């Protein structure tokens, strides 16, 4: 009997009961004090996250997502005093590049989610805030167009010399997951960022990384584990529920990824030892690298073509990829960078990883416990097979904390090498 195509999967087959009191509303004071559920070849064991170095396969390379969460929620006021929430999703003008958009001064246009906007008929809403150096600043926002549940918002601000990144830092709020049911606090400004966050642009944290401390990272290096970094700016789509009954009706959101040539060379040199992704975003970035390379090799794309991975590419190109090894795909990406004179690969991905997916670059995953009927749970099911249910049932029956501020898991499927 053949497995169903991922398009035909029913999201309702990937659910479990999650009581509200199992969702962690606050982070633990000590990042590494969280619990760690280890699934090694289907065998489960309960550990502490600070003991991670004792549980990793020997010779592992850990890949972290170094994106930094921006304070993308702006709480503005209508002239009558009513509050309007603007959740900045992606830049539109004058730059679509996130890096350039955050450097923009004076004015810009972004696609936003609008909360409590029914009474916002016309004219600007305003937000006054204080900058890091004590200046009083004002932001004006005007709705330009409404489309597909979002709105194009024209922003302008004074002092006009401020970059938009500073407007968000000084005037915005962290976009905590809606299931936490609370606004951000000063503590979240520290705890909803990883200790290695570097590249601004995410509107949600890569939460698997929240458990790491500088001391634990130093211990991993001291014990001979390799560490690498990629960047995937996590989009608001990470909160988007799957509303369609089957995955064919669920559009994956687009997220930008940045990967250096040095990281590509590191991955090549590390083969065939294990590569472990820290978080689902790191995993999707790594697996997207393979499909970007396949696209270059199979389609003979021009070097100036914008590189992107589509939602169903791995399943539609499975036959074409059969003869392309991970090493060949990585080499193709390095050749592309050399041909374009770039040191960093900039691309985008809409990759959906679901049961039926064949992993090419990743051997294991460190991740939190995800929502029922979510694309993140589909990814875990693709990695573990039906055994994902055993992991989640064990976590529920043994008091683990769930979702963004919850506990963690180390998932090592049966194919993982132990590096011996």
């Amino acid at each position: 009997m053949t497995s169903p195509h991922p398009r035909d999967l029913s999201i309702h087959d990937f659910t479990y009961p999650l009581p509200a009191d199992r969702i962690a509303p606050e982070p633990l004071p000590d990042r590494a004090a969280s619990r760690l559920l280890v699934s090694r070849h289907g065998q489960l064991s309960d550990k502490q996250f600070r003991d991670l170095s004792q549980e990793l396969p020997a010779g592992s390379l850990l890949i972290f997502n170094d994106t930094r969460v921006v304070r993308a929620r702006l709480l503005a006021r209508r002239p009558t005093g009513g509050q309007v929430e603007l959740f900045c999703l992606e830049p539109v003008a004058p730059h679509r590049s996130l890096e350039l958009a955050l450097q923009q001064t004076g004015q810009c246009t972004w696609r936003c989610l609008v909360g409590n906007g029914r009474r916002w008929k016309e004219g600007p809403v305003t937000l006054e805030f204080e900058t890091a150096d004590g200046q009083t600043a004002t932001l004006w926002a005007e709705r330009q167009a409404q489309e597909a549940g979002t709105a194009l918002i024209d922003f302008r601000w004074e002092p006009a010399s401020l970059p938009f990144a500073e407007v968000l830092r000084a005037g915005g709020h962290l976009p905590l997951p809606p299931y936490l049911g609370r606004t951000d606090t000063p503590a979240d400004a520290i705890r909803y960022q990883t200790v290695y966050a570097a590249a601004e642009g995410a509107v949600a944290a890569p939460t698997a990384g929240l458990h790491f401390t500088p001391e634990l990272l130093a211990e991993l290096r001291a014990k001979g584990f390799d560490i690498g970094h990629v960047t995937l700016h996590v989009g608001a789509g990470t909160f988007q529920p799957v509303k369609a009954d089957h995955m064919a009706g669920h559009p994956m959101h687009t997220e930008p990824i940045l990967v250096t040539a040095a990281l590509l060379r590191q991955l090549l040199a590390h083969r065939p030892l294990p590569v472990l992704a820290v978080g689902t975003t790191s995993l999707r970035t790594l697996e997207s690298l393979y499909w970007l390379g396949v696209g270059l090799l199979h389609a003979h794309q021009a070097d100036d073509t914008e590189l992107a991975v589509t939602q169903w590419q791995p399943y539609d190109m499975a036959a074409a990829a059969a003869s392309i090894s991970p090493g060949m795909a990585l080499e193709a990406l390095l050749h592309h960078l050399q041909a374009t004179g770039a040191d960093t690969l900039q691309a985008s991905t809409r990759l959906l990883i679901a049961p039926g997916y064949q992993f090419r670059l990743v051997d294991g995953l460190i991740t939190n416990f995800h929502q029922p009927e979510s694309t993140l749970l589909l990814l875990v099911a693709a990695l573990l097979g039906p055994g994902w249910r055993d992991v989640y049932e064990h976590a529920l029956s043994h008091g683990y904390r769930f979702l963004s501020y919850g506990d963690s898991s180390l998932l090592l499927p049966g194919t993982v090498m132990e590096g011996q």
Side-chain angles (χ1 to χ4, degrees), residues 83-129:
Q83 182 174 277
V84 174
E85 177 181 338
L86 303 174
F87 188 167
C88 298
L89 299 178
E90 61 181 4
V92 175
H95 307 289
R96 289 189 176 272
S97 161
L98 187 60
E99 181 179 352
L100 293 176
L102 291 174
Q103 295 172 9
Q104 177 65 26
T105 57
Q107 59 185 24
C108 61
T109 302
W110 280 62
R111 185 179 307 281
C112 299
L113 292 173
V114 178
N116 197 30
R118 287 187 177 181
R119 296 185 179 180
W120 181 20
K121 301 302 182 184
E122 59 183 20
V125 293
T126 59
L127 169 65
E128 292 190 354
F129 57 96

Side-chain angles (χ1 to χ4, degrees), residues 51-172:
D51 300 323
L52 177 66
S53 65
Q54 302 171 27
E55 303 300 325
L56 295 173
S60 291
L61 166 61
L62 275 68
I63 302 296
F64 295 80
N65 180 7
D66 66 4
T67 188
R68 185 173 187 83
V69 183
V70 296
R71 302 169 71 89
R73 289 178 63 241
L74 296 164
L75 305 180
R77 293 284 177 185
R78 302 194 312 272
T80 56
Q83 182 174 277
V84 174
E85 177 181 338
L86 303 174
F87 188 167
C88 298
L89 299 178
E90 61 181 4
V92 175
H95 307 289
R96 289 189 176 272
S97 161
L98 187 60
E99 181 179 352
L100 293 176
L102 291 174
Q103 295 172 9
Q104 177 65 26
T105 57
Q107 59 185 24
C108 61
T109 302
W110 280 62
R111 185 179 307 281
C112 299
L113 292 173
V114 178
N116 197 30
R118 287 187 177 181
R119 296 185 179 180
W120 181 20
K121 301 302 182 184
E122 59 183 20
V125 293
T126 59
L127 169 65
E128 292 190 354
F129 57 96
E130 187 174 291
T131 65
D133 58 3
Q135 295 185 77
T136 298
T138 304
L139 173 73
W140 295 268
E142 195 152 3
R143 184 160 45 193
Q144 181 190 110
Q146 192 89 18
E147 52 184 67
T150 64
L152 297 184
I153 304 294
D154 289 333
F155 292 108
R156 59 184 177 88
W157 57 92
E158 292 288 348
S161 58
L162 291 175
F164 194 59
E166 177 59 25
V167 172
L168 295 178
R169 275 194 291 267

Side-chain angles (χ1 to χ4, degrees), residues 27-31 33 191:
L28 297 177
D30 177 4
R31 293 175 185 263
R191 286 296 276 107

Side-chain angles (χ1 to χ4, degrees), residues 26-344:
E26 306 282 347
L28 297 177
D30 177 4
R31 293 175 185 263
S34 59
R35 299 175 68 194
L36 178 70
L37 175 52
V38 179
S39 173
R40 179 180 278 104
H41 312 330
Q43 299 299 310
L44 305 181
S45 56
D46 302 306
K47 306 291 180 180
Q48 292 291 314
F49 198 85
R50 66 177 71 260
D51 300 323
L52 177 66
S53 65
Q54 302 171 27
E55 303 300 325
L56 295 173
S60 291
L61 166 61
L62 275 68
I63 302 296
F64 295 80
N65 180 7
D66 66 4
T67 188
R68 185 173 187 83
V69 183
V70 296
R71 302 169 71 89
R73 289 178 63 241
L74 296 164
L75 305 180
R77 293 284 177 185
R78 302 194 312 272
T80 56
Q83 182 174 277
V84 174
E85 177 181 338
L86 303 174
F87 188 167
C88 298
L89 299 178
E90 61 181 4
V92 175
H95 307 289
R96 289 189 176 272
S97 161
L98 187 60
E99 181 179 352
L100 293 176
L102 291 174
Q103 295 172 9
Q104 177 65 26
T105 57
Q107 59 185 24
C108 61
T109 302
W110 280 62
R111 185 179 307 281
C112 299
L113 292 173
V114 178
N116 197 30
R118 287 187 177 181
R119 296 185 179 180
W120 181 20
K121 301 302 182 184
E122 59 183 20
V125 293
T126 59
L127 169 65
E128 292 190 354
F129 57 96
E130 187 174 291
T131 65
D133 58 3
Q135 295 185 77
T136 298
T138 304
L139 173 73
W140 295 268
E142 195 152 3
R143 184 160 45 193
Q144 181 190 110
Q146 192 89 18
E147 52 184 67
T150 64
L152 297 184
I153 304 294
D154 289 333
F155 292 108
R156 59 184 177 88
W157 57 92
E158 292 288 348
S161 58
L162 291 175
F164 194 59
E166 177 59 25
V167 172
L168 295 178
R169 275 194 291 267
H173 291 262
L174 281 174
L176 293 182
Y179 50 70
L180 291 183
R182 64 178 180 83
T183 59
D184 60 319
T185 67
D188 292 310
I190 297 172
R191 286 296 276 107
Y192 198 59
Q193 301 280 11
T194 63
V195 298
Y196 49 83
E200 282 195 322
V203 298
T207 55
L210 297 179
H211 306 283
F212 287 85
T213 63
E215 294 78 15
L216 181 52
L217 291 170
E219 178 186 332
L220 291 170
R221 288 189 175 97
K223 291 191 174 182
F225 295 105
D226 291 332
I227 286 175
H229 293 91
V230 297
T231 304
L232 181 146
H233 291 309
V234 189
T238 194
F239 301 137
Q240 181 181 349
V242 178
K243 297 179 180 179
D245 289 334
H246 293 84
M247 295 313 298
H250 177 75
M252 286 291 286
H253 51 289
T254 300
E255 292 171 314
I257 59 177
L258 297 94
V259 178
T260 64
L263 189 279
L264 296 175
R265 288 191 288 267
Q266 186 179 16
L267 288 168
L268 272 170
H270 193 78
R271 300 186 60 79
L273 294 175
V275 174
L276 271 62
V278 178
T280 57
T281 59
S282 296
L283 187 149
R284 289 181 66 241
T285 302
L286 289 169
E287 291 297 314
S288 294
L289 290 178
Y290 174 79
W291 292 106
L292 290 170
V294 168
L296 286 169
L297 289 169
H298 185 260
H300 304 291
Q301 291 179 327
D303 287 327
D304 60 354
T305 302
E306 181 178 346
L307 298 183
V309 179
T310 61
Q311 178 165 338
W312 303 111
Q313 184 176 342
Y315 314 101
D316 295 340
M317 294 189 69
S323 60
I324 299 176
S325 69
M328 292 167 62
L330 293 172
E331 291 281 9
L333 295 175
L334 283 168
H335 177 77
H336 170 79
L337 289 178
Q338 184 179 22
T340 56
D343 188 56
T344 299

